[in-house]
């Protein structure tokens, strides 16, 4: 009887979830694809793609594995080839069992977190060290690419945040203001102010909503002219007073 009751409850739950599912609008889905686009650098791309395709996962379990070049292969790459490798492949793997639910009206939101560039993969310590040891050169390549493509791929956004690259704020604001389409550039500003513990932001209502105890990966504030102006004003004040 207990097994039968459990089965009935599970069926009711699945039915309820199916009833709750709502397909996002076409505009929302298109913006979701736009947000998740990775920029592919051209430097040594065929060579690097061939190397990545030959990598296999290694590790003890599905939650802590790597798919990484050997130290010899990594060291043999030129600086620009290493940049391409990092921008198209994260060496660390951690299985995510729960699929994220679809986001409604994604284009009307400013999220507290960036979408993932590589799904269940992420950059390893070696890759993050490469960014930090070569920050000026990496940022120069990102600027060069963005000026060429007029886009800031999600991998570039993650790298800028990972490097705590505050110096990119004026450049990113200029890119954002051209069409005001990429709200994740505003998310970069939020994350940089958070990382650097900018007091006027940490004491704001926006911070409590986006990063407080009740926040999660999908927490957002509405995209509107008032919130946009407030984020830009705050990040410009932060940038003017920022000291390393």
């Amino acid at each position: 009887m207990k097994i039968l009751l459990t089965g009935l409850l599970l069926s009711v739950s699945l039915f309820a979830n199916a009833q709750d599912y709502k397909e996002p609008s076409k505009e929302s889905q298109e913006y979701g694809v736009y947000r998740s686009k990775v920029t592919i650098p051209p430097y040594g791309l065929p060579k690097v793609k061939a190397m990545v395709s030959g990598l296999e996962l290694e590790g003890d379990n599905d939650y802590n594995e790597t798919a990484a070049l050997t130290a010899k292969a990594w060291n043999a790459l030129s600086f620009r080839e290493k940049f391409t490798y990092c921008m198209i492949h994260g060496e660390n793997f951690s299985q995510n069992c729960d699929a994220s639910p679809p986001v409604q009206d994604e284009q009307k939101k400013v999220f507290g977190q960036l979408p993932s560039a590589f799904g269940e993969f992420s950059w390893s310590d070696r890759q993050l060290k490469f960014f930090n040891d070569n920050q000026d050169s990496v940022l120069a390549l990102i600027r060069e690419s963005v000026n060429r493509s007029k886009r800031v791929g999600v991998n570039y956004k993650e790298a800028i945040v990972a490097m705590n690259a505050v110096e990119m704020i004026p450049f990113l604001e200029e890119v954002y203001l051209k069409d005001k389409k990429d709200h994740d550039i505003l998310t970069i500003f939020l994350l940089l102010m958070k990382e650097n513990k900018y007091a006027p932001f940490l004491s704001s209502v926006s911070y409590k909503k986006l990063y407080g105890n009740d926040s999660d990966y999908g927490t957002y504030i509405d995209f509107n002219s008032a919130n946009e102006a407030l984020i830009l004003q705050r990040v410009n004040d932060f940038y003017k007073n920022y000291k390393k």
Side-chain angles (χ1 to χ4, degrees):
M1 178 61 75
K2 185 176 180 180
I3 294 175
L4 177 61
L5 181 59
T6 301
L8 285 172
L9 290 173
L10 178 61
S11 298
V12 170
S13 176
L14 292 173
F15 177 75
N17 287 336
Q19 292 294 305
D20 292 341
Y21 178 82
K22 179 184 176 185
E23 188 76 8
S25 67
K26 182 182 177 188
E27 186 178 8
S28 179
Q29 292 183 50
E30 288 177 349
Y31 186 66
V33 172
Y34 175 86
R35 292 182 70 212
S36 300
K37 184 173 176 56
V38 169
T39 302
I40 308 295
Y43 319 114
L45 184 59
K47 172 184 173 181
V48 173
K49 285 177 73 174
M51 297 174 83
V52 170
S53 68
L55 297 176
E56 294 183 359
L57 281 173
E58 297 180 0
D60 298 331
N61 56 65
D62 292 340
Y63 301 98
N64 186 24
E65 296 181 290
T66 60
L69 292 177
T70 63
K72 181 178 179 181
W74 165 261
N75 291 331
L77 293 176
S78 68
F79 166 77
R80 290 188 175 228
E81 288 169 343
K82 286 177 180 171
F83 177 80
T84 296
Y85 174 74
C86 292
M87 288 302 169
I88 67 171
H89 175 66
E91 293 184 329
N92 284 351
F93 174 82
S94 182
Q95 191 174 61
N96 183 0
C97 297
D98 296 324
S100 299
V103 181
Q104 307 295 331
D105 295 328
E106 200 162 347
Q107 77 284 4
K108 297 179 181 178
K109 299 173 179 177
V110 179
F111 293 90
Q113 304 292 340
L114 296 169
S116 172
F118 308 116
E120 294 175 318
F121 285 85
S122 59
W123 285 314
S124 65
D125 290 343
R126 174 170 71 178
Q127 292 176 300
L128 293 171
K129 185 175 187 303
F130 168 75
F131 289 147
N132 288 319
D133 288 350
N134 302 279
Q135 182 161 328
D136 290 346
S137 300
V138 169
L139 293 179
L141 288 185
I142 290 177
R143 285 193 191 92
E144 181 180 298
S145 175
V146 171
N147 284 330
R148 186 170 56 237
S149 66
K150 313 303 179 191
R151 289 284 303 272
V152 188
V154 63
N155 47 344
Y156 287 175
K157 294 186 180 95
E158 286 194 352
I160 290 167
V161 173
M163 289 183 281
N164 190 27
V166 174
E167 60 267 45
M168 289 290 278
I169 288 173
F171 175 76
L172 291 171
E173 182 173 2
E174 184 180 332
V175 173
Y176 171 74
L177 291 176
K178 286 181 179 173
D179 58 15
K180 300 188 175 186
K181 181 179 179 180
D182 191 346
H183 306 162
D184 281 339
I185 292 178
L186 300 178
T187 299
I188 296 176
F189 296 158
L190 296 170
L191 289 169
L192 290 176
M193 287 191 286
K194 174 176 176 283
E195 173 64 23
N196 292 281
K197 298 180 172 50
Y198 182 52
F201 178 53
L202 265 58
S203 62
S204 70
V205 173
S206 299
Y207 178 85
K208 290 174 184 171
K209 179 170 184 180
L210 290 168
Y211 305 110
N213 293 335
D214 296 329
S215 65
D216 58 33
Y217 182 76
T219 302
Y220 64 91
I221 57 175
D222 292 335
F223 174 75
N224 54 45
S225 57
N227 281 336
E228 176 196 55
L230 191 55
I231 293 170
L232 293 178
Q233 177 196 327
R234 279 196 180 122
V235 81
N236 279 302
D237 290 343
F238 160 67
Y239 179 74
K240 277 185 241 174
N241 295 292
Y242 176 73
K243 295 178 183 175
K244 279 190 176 180

